[in-house]
Amino acid sequence: MSNRFKSRYDDDINLFEGRWHLAQYAILMALLLAAPWLLGTYYLGELTAVLVWSLAGLGLMLISGHTGQVSLGHAAFMAIGAFTNLALMLRGWHFLPALLASAVTSGVIGAIISRPILRMSGIYLAIATLALSIIIEDVAIMAEPITGGVAGVFAPPIALFGMEIDRYATPEAFYYLCLAVLVLVTLGYLNLLRSASGRSFLAVRDSEVSARALGVNVARAKTLSFSLSCAITGLAGALYAHLAQAVNYESFLVLISITLLLQIVIGGLGSVHGAFFGAIVVVLLPQLIAIASDYLDNTAGIQIAAYPGLDTALFALLILLMVIYEPRGLYGVWFKVRTWLQLFPLYRKGMFRRTRTYLKTERQR
Amino acid sequence: MDILQLLVGGIANGCIYGLLALGFVLIYKASEAVNFAQGDMMMLGAFLGVTFINTSYADLPFLVGITLAALILGLFGYLLDRFVLRAIFGQPQFAMVILTIALGFLIRFVAGVIWGHDPTSLETPFIGRVWTLGELMIPVVDAVIIITTVALTSILYFFFARTRLGVAMQASSQNQMAAYYMGIPVKRINAIVWALSGVVAAIAGVMFAAKGAVEPSVGLLFGIKAFAAAVIGGLGSLPGALLGGLLVGIVEPFAGRYLPSGVGQIAPYVLMLLVLILRPGGLFAQISQKKV
């Protein structure tokens, strides 16, 4: 790695650090655009799922990773987004306004909820949002005109630019739709992070007291972050509804909230990459296990399928190892590998040694 | 009479929530960590109780069985801290939350492999026996649960308030490094408190299985509800945990009876949100403003 010489202030906040950096993302984008030709229909569907869960992870990453407020209830906002979108589409709205409406609805509801809820912090916030997720589960059963009650609602096909987009009939079109939404949101997210608001989120995460001392309006920063985070998650929920084709209260159980948090932790809290890495693990791990179990069954005659819930258990084990050995998640691993490559052969072993820390009470704040 | 009957059932249920909440508070009081696997440890305790006491398994006397279950789960808690949790010693609270959530998933899977997924009940010596006071019927199980809970809460309360070990635990939770300087073996203290919470979880589990049926996935939601109870009471306060448990236990049947269907299940969470919004630290708040 050659040290780049910065000649303008903009160099610090540019989205891309230089031509090579830009080229890397251009290649990734080209690969993603070419995916329908490279992958079969099934794996294209899985890739679409990765995109949708990345979007949901991005939403949670904003509040938990970048503003430091742990939310264990974001499936609730996925549910709000999904049911808003479907209910409006079934009442004759077009897809795009309905999609926007689902983002706005979840964002507004998030903003309303955030004022009382964000007075709490740490573990209290986690349990309050968890409770929210559980409450929404039951609300989804009770609000039958909108959510279809226990049976749920089916997603109508999307009509967009004179095309009929359907997850099964035209998987490529649906994939491009998800990709477009995800890319737009990601660019917006990156821009937000380098704006004054985004910086104030990071300040609140690192220390509320010093952020306040520096003139950051902590309550406003938290509310804005939570509301934007809910809006993004609501978008993801709407896309998820079309991906799954049918949603009911069971699509957004509290377990989904927990998995979503685990997803961004495994990806790497506080990094945009982390949301994507985490989504890849969450979506592809069950596939990997299915393939491995087929293989073991055929070669060694070991039947893993006899143990239900094995994928969840392996996922949990992965989380366990990650928290113990690599708290910055897959992003941390990737970062180390990248540094190793860039510095080759000068990488030293102790470069990322963690400093010894001691727990201090969070009962004083 | 109807109301009284609901109340008795609610109090007994609430005591189980309270017992489990005690486990949360114990660990929080001593290491400021929150154990999201507490519900799953309770489930493990319930299954251990079933294994030792039921006639189709080991067929031991009730008291011997409950003691064995408590000892084994205590050992489990100790080993868990010694070999897994100590690896993230000193890291922020959040790491422990994630770690224990993952542990809960693993425990659930292992319990499913060992005991299967069918609901199982505990065979107690007082099964089906009822005391009648006028028109009021008090199942003996409920009475046993209430007495156990009250006794355990008072013992733990005096343990934390009066004994050297209890005070050392509180010190190590407030500032680990300062506790080190005062000569408190913080790591050993953590291990002891995890063992203790294992014992409490086993007792809660046996009581749970005596009153209802246990299956591997029961721990998650029950644990969350008990955690809500602990938060209502103000996380970190033992009497608060019991009070929170009782409130949750009592609110549930009444909301189920008198409010539209579906509200009963979410009533405890609504109660918790209300308490948290009005008093962000819970009823017996342990939070104070930081001085800069």
Side-chain angles (χ1 to χ4, degrees):
Chain A
M1 179 179 74
S2 58
N3 233 339
R4 280 189 334 108
F5 181 70
K6 291 172 181 167
S7 54
R8 290 177 309 144
Y9 286 121
D10 274 355
D11 283 344
D12 271 329
I13 56 167
N14 276 346
L15 280 186
F16 301 105
E17 271 172 17
R19 292 228 178 96
W20 170 230
H21 196 214
L22 181 65
Q24 283 174 332
Y25 283 97
I27 293 171
L28 178 65
M29 197 64 220
L31 277 179
L32 283 176
L33 283 175
W37 287 278
L38 300 176
L39 299 172
T41 317
Y42 178 73
Y43 283 101
L44 190 67
E46 291 300 307
L47 189 59
T48 317
V50 170
L51 297 182
V52 171
W53 287 108
S54 303
L55 192 59
L58 266 184
L60 185 56
M61 187 67 87
L62 185 59
I63 186 73
S64 295
H66 285 117
T67 320
Q69 313 296 317
V70 178
S71 165
L72 269 171
H74 259 53
F77 298 100
M78 281 186 84
I80 292 172
F83 286 124
T84 312
N85 184 277
L86 294 189
L88 288 178
M89 280 185 75
L90 289 173
R91 281 160 184 71
W93 284 44
H94 281 292
F95 174 70
L96 280 184
L99 190 65
L100 277 183
S102 58
V104 171
T105 317
S106 356
V108 168
I109 292 180
I112 295 169
I113 291 171
S114 75
R115 270 300 159 108
I117 266 196
L118 289 175
R119 281 171 64 202
M120 305 159 214
S121 72
I123 200 67
Y124 291 91
L125 182 65
I127 185 69
T129 44
L130 194 64
L132 207 64
S133 186
I134 295 173
I135 291 173
I136 287 281
E137 262 177 42
D138 282 84
V139 170
I141 299 176
M142 285 186 276
E144 198 159 349
I146 301 171
T147 62
V150 179
V153 272
F154 288 93
I158 305 165
L160 201 64
F161 307 128
M163 281 204 306
E164 181 112 326
I165 299 178
D166 183 275
R167 171 188 176 353
Y168 291 109
T170 52
E172 304 87 10
F174 186 66
Y175 167 75
Y176 282 128
L177 174 71
C178 291
L179 187 62
V181 173
L182 181 62
V183 167
L184 284 178
V185 169
T186 310
L187 285 178
Y189 192 107
L190 290 172
N191 270 326
L192 175 72
L193 278 188
R194 58 189 193 141
S195 72
S197 301
R199 299 289 157 151
S200 70
F201 296 167
L202 299 185
V204 169
R205 175 188 69 184
D206 291 341
S207 163
E208 252 179 61
V209 174
S210 29
R212 190 172 288 131
L214 288 169
V216 172
N217 185 341
V218 174
R220 181 184 162 275
K222 280 185 182 174
T223 310
L224 184 65
S225 168
F226 194 73
S227 156
L228 284 175
S229 147
C230 294
I232 298 176
T233 316
L235 272 183
L239 289 179
Y240 176 77
H242 288 280
L243 177 72
Q245 289 286 296
V247 286
N248 66 352
Y249 71 101
E250 273 192 338
S251 316
F252 306 105
L253 288 181
V254 64
L255 263 180
I256 307 283
S257 291
I258 297 176
T259 314
L260 205 54
L261 185 69
L262 295 183
Q263 173 192 325
I264 64 167
V265 169
I266 213 170
L269 266 186
S271 67
V272 177
H273 293 80
F276 293 84
F277 289 150
I280 292 172
V281 172
V282 166
V283 176
L284 296 189
L285 192 66
Q287 304 295 331
L288 219 61
I289 290 171
I291 294 171
S293 99
D294 276 354
Y295 178 77
L296 282 179
D297 200 10
N298 290 335
T299 54
I302 303 169
Q303 290 191 327
I304 309 183
Y307 304 112
L310 186 69
D311 48 344
T312 333
L314 277 181
F315 181 60
L317 194 64
L318 197 60
I319 295 275
L320 202 82
L321 296 175
M322 211 54 120
V323 171
I324 293 176
Y325 295 108
E326 186 54 70
R328 301 225 42 201
L330 287 175
Y331 176 71
V333 176
W334 184 72
F335 193 76
K336 280 179 191 168
V337 170
R338 199 179 63 175
T339 316
W340 188 86
L341 285 176
Q342 282 173 341
L343 290 182
F344 187 80
L346 296 173
Y347 185 85
R348 284 181 295 114
K349 221 180 164 187
M351 273 182 101
F352 289 100
R353 194 182 315 142
R354 279 183 270 161
T355 49
R356 194 170 180 77
T357 51
Y358 293 91
L359 189 82
K360 272 213 181 132
T361 183
E362 292 189 20
R363 277 179 250 174
Q364 292 187 329
R365 56 181 145 85
Chain B
M1 232 359 82
D2 205 27
I3 292 177
L4 268 181
Q5 195 63 53
L6 272 183
L7 197 64
V8 171
I11 289 176
N13 260 339
C15 279
I16 301 181
Y17 288 130
L19 270 180
L20 199 50
L22 280 185
F24 279 110
V25 170
L26 266 180
I27 291 179
Y28 188 79
K29 234 173 148 58
S31 66
E32 191 125 315
V34 172
N35 177 15
F36 267 85
Q38 190 76 28
D40 299 290
M41 281 172 73
M42 180 206 81
M43 175 269 295
L44 215 53
F47 270 121
L48 284 174
V50 166
T51 309
F52 287 128
I53 296 166
N54 275 15
T55 39
S56 51
Y57 289 100
D59 197 14
L60 293 170
F62 182 69
L63 280 178
V64 179
I66 195 171
T67 318
L68 273 177
L71 284 180
I72 289 183
L73 211 56
L75 188 68
F76 176 75
Y78 181 85
L79 295 177
L80 198 64
D81 182 74
R82 182 69 190 78
F83 291 108
V84 181
L85 305 172
R86 196 165 289 183
I88 61 158
F89 179 80
Q91 283 184 41
Q93 214 182 25
F94 177 67
M96 188 65 102
V97 171
I98 299 293
L99 193 64
T100 48
I101 287 178
L103 268 176
F105 279 110
L106 281 177
I107 294 176
R108 220 168 300 149
F109 172 72
V110 171
V113 170
I114 298 177
W115 286 288
H117 292 270
D118 298 324
T120 324
S121 290
L122 186 71
E123 294 154 9
T124 52
F126 31 82
I127 199 161
R129 275 167 52 189
V130 172
W131 288 337
T132 42
L133 284 174
E135 285 179 46
L136 188 66
M137 307 215 290
I138 304 176
V140 180
V141 180
D142 289 5
V144 170
I145 289 172
I146 294 170
I147 292 167
T148 315
T149 310
V150 172
L152 206 57
T153 313
S154 4
I155 292 172
L156 288 174
Y157 182 77
F158 282 105
F159 172 71
F160 270 100
R162 294 273 184 272
T163 62
R164 270 167 71 90
L165 190 58
V167 175
M169 282 178 177
Q170 297 204 42
S172 72
S173 85
Q174 283 173 11
N175 191 332
Q176 274 185 351
M177 204 198 283
Y180 260 125
Y181 288 156
M182 295 299 119
I184 297 171
V186 177
K187 287 183 177 168
R188 204 190 310 153
I189 291 253
N190 275 2
I192 292 172
V193 84
W194 275 85
L196 202 58
S197 91
V199 170
V200 174
I203 294 172
V206 171
M207 296 296 156
F208 179 84
K211 205 168 155 55
V214 56
E215 44 122 2
S217 65
V218 87
L220 179 71
L221 278 182
F222 201 84
I224 293 175
K225 223 178 272 178
F227 186 50
V231 169
I232 288 174
L235 205 51
S237 155
L238 290 168
L242 187 55
L243 180 70
L246 285 178
L247 275 177
V248 167
I250 292 170
V251 157
E252 232 178 351
F254 277 92
R257 181 71 174 271
Y258 295 107
L259 294 175
S261 68
V263 178
Q265 296 156 33
I266 58 175
Y269 304 107
V270 175
L271 178 71
M272 186 198 72
L273 282 180
L274 278 180
V275 168
L276 279 183
I277 288 167
L278 298 176
R279 284 181 66 89
L283 293 178
F284 294 84
Q286 309 272 316
I287 294 180
S288 54
Q289 194 71 37
K290 188 181 201 165
K291 296 185 183 65
V292 191

